């Protein structure tokens, strides 16, 4: 019988962030880390992020479970090339026998086997979270709202019941919504907005992001926004108001702060409406009971909670799967913020014991 290792690290290799969750042999979280990693600028950013994580965690007997979405960045010619490059990078840093790569339906594979199955590995991180949820809850919809995307994944009877697997299939099925609470350009949320008594068209420019919206509504977690702002200026409410104003061809001084806060609330509602419509379509399949809950995850799970209320369903937090978790650092990420990393570590731990 396999001997449990002291610790598993779950790694989620994203295009903009590296997320890591450390679990002890009992499955309790010891640490949760999120590091900026602009992968599209080069693999050296991943190397640097890995070293930052290891420097924070210290050297201990550890095995590594890896999932990813970073293969989608335009650093790579195609997704298969990206998958193999990211696996190779992890192998370069850790002995192959200590690494397992999550391959969705195929489970956790040795690096060589995973490199031979890039279609199963590519962007399968949502499947890890949903599979863990399906093991512990009778049914529900996993709603993981991150910095860039939102996953809406139904599960029941111990199984993930998503209709899509790859990104394109999931987009077509409404199970992947390319909208998050930090990096999404404001121009992607609406074509026009009410302002000053008129409907005003938004400029099709990357002047502001959803981080500016939720900074003005007061809901953006302090640790969630790790990348530079759209204009490289400070991440303050005043600077966010200025970026939103630019979307209308204005300066922030053109209106009182309350006007920009009202605009932010309108755009937040537009994003929520998009998610609610996607969830309504998913629920119209009739596969889940009327009281099936929403299981919220991601740095934007405050929106998942609001979505549950709008749909008239109970809300559960993904962190409930990790009862007894160690408290996070002040203003730092929690397990639910990094659900795929936590899930792949737990799946690996359960498989090894």
């Amino acid at each position: 019988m396999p001997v449990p290792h002291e610790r598993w690290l779950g790694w989620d290799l994203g295009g903009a962030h590296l997320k890591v969750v450390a679990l002890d042999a009992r499955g309790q979280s010891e640490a949760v880390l999120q590091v900026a990693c602009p992968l599209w600028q080069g693999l050296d950013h991943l190397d640097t992020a890995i070293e930052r994580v290891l420097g924070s965690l210290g050297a201990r007997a550890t095995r590594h479970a890896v999932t990813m979405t970073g293969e989608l960045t335009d650093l790579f010619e195609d997704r298969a090339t990206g998958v193999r490059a990211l696996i190779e990078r992890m192998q370069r840093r850790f002995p192959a026998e200590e690494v397992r790569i999550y391959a969705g339906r195929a489970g956790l594979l040795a690096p060589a086997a995973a490199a031979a199955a890039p279609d199963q590995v590519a962007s399968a991180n949502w499947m890890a979270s949903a599979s863990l949820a399906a093991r512990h809850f009778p049914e529900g919809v996993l709603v993981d709202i991150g910095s860039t995307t939102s996953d809406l994944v139904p599960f029941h009877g111990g199984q993930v019941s998503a209709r899509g697997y790859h990104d394109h299939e999931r987009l077509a099925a409404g199970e992947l919504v390319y909208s998050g609470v930090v990096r999404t350009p404001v121009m992607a949320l609406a074509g026009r907005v009410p302002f000053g008594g008129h409907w005003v068209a938004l400029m099709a420019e990357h002047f502001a992001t959803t981080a500016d919206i939720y900074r003005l509504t007061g809901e953006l977690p302090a640790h969630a926004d790790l990348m530079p702002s759209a204009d490289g200026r400070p991440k303050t409410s005043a600077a966010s108001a200025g970026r939103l104003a630019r979307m209308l061809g204005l300066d922030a001084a053109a209106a009182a702060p309350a006007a920009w806060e009202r605009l932010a609330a309108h755009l937040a509602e537009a994003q929520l409406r998009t998610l609610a419509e996607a969830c309504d379509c998913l629920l119209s399949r009739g596969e889940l009971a009327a009281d099936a809950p929403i299981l919220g995850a991601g740095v934007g799970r405050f929106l998942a909670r609001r979505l549950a209320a709008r749909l008239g369903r109970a809300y559960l937090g993904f962190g409930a799967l990790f009862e007894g978790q160690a408290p996070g650092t002040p203003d730092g990420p929690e397990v639910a913020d990094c659900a795929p990393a936590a899930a792949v570590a737990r799946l690996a731990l359960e498989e090894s014991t």
Side-chain angles (χ1 to χ4, degrees):
M1 177 177 293
V3 178
H5 285 252
E6 184 177 359
R7 177 169 64 173
W8 275 93
L9 295 189
W11 300 77
D12 187 4
L13 313 183
H17 303 99
L18 173 63
K19 300 176 183 179
V20 181
V21 174
L23 298 185
D24 65 19
R26 299 168 297 167
Q28 294 184 355
S29 67
E30 294 184 328
V32 183
L33 298 169
Q34 176 174 297
V35 179
C37 180
L39 190 58
W40 65 89
Q41 296 177 5
L43 283 164
D44 57 312
H45 288 278
L46 177 59
D47 297 336
T48 300
I50 290 172
E51 294 309 317
R52 282 188 60 188
V53 166
L54 296 177
S56 296
L57 293 177
R60 278 179 50 194
T62 303
R63 297 191 70 182
H64 307 273
V66 182
T67 187
M68 64 185 69
T69 58
E71 79 288 338
L72 192 61
T73 65
D74 51 16
L75 173 67
F76 307 114
E77 181 178 354
D78 54 44
R79 291 177 303 130
T81 300
V83 166
R84 294 186 179 109
L86 294 177
I87 292 174
E88 189 276 333
R89 221 63 178 192
M90 295 301 284
Q91 280 189 276
R92 182 183 298 186
R93 186 59 183 80
F94 307 110
E97 63 270 16
E98 295 179 0
V99 177
R100 288 296 176 266
I101 310 296
Y102 186 68
R105 296 164 181 159
L108 288 152
L109 303 179
D119 281 352
Q120 296 299 309
V121 175
S123 295
N125 66 344
W126 64 273
M127 186 76 163
S129 304
S131 295
L132 184 65
R135 291 185 182 187
H136 295 273
F137 295 106
E139 62 178 345
V141 181
L142 172 68
V143 178
D144 187 341
I145 303 175
S147 64
T148 311
T149 64
S150 297
D151 296 310
L152 310 176
V153 190
F155 59 90
H156 64 92
Q159 301 293 323
V160 176
S161 52
R163 292 187 177 178
Y165 183 78
H166 302 297
D167 280 350
H168 175 73
E169 297 168 348
R170 299 183 64 230
L171 286 166
E175 295 165 351
L176 171 61
V177 180
Y178 239 84
S179 192
V181 298
V182 178
R183 300 181 63 240
T184 301
V186 165
M187 61 182 170
L189 300 184
R192 61 177 192 163
V193 295
F195 193 84
H198 304 280
W199 282 100
V200 183
L202 290 176
M203 291 185 173
E205 293 279 3
H206 187 58
F207 285 151
T209 66
T210 44
D212 295 308
I213 293 172
Y214 294 111
R215 187 172 292 112
L216 286 171
T217 66
E219 296 168 298
L220 184 69
H223 61 272
D225 187 12
L226 299 181
M227 306 302 290
S229 64
D231 60 5
R233 292 188 173 90
K235 298 175 184 179
T236 62
S237 293
S240 287
R243 287 187 282 271
L244 280 187
R246 196 170 292 118
M247 294 295 299
L248 302 179
L250 294 171
D251 297 322
W260 305 119
E261 292 168 5
R262 185 165 53 248
L263 175 58
H266 174 84
L267 290 164
E269 169 61 25
Q271 186 175 39
L272 179 62
R273 188 163 53 247
T274 296
L275 294 171
E277 289 175 354
C279 211
D280 268 338
C281 186
L282 185 153
L283 293 169
S284 74
R285 299 172 187 173
E287 298 169 349
L288 300 179
D291 60 352
I294 300 297
L295 181 65
V299 294
R301 62 187 180 280
F302 59 87
L303 274 187
R305 185 183 294 274
R306 198 178 302 162
L307 176 64
R310 179 158 300 187
L311 297 172
R313 292 176 179 266
Y315 175 84
L316 299 172
F318 188 85
L321 293 170
F322 294 82
E323 293 290 353
Q325 60 182 302
T329 58
D331 296 326
E334 300 176 1
V335 165
D337 295 322
C338 305
V344 77
R346 174 69 72 80
L347 294 173
L349 176 65
E350 291 179 357
E351 182 178 293
S352 66
T353 56

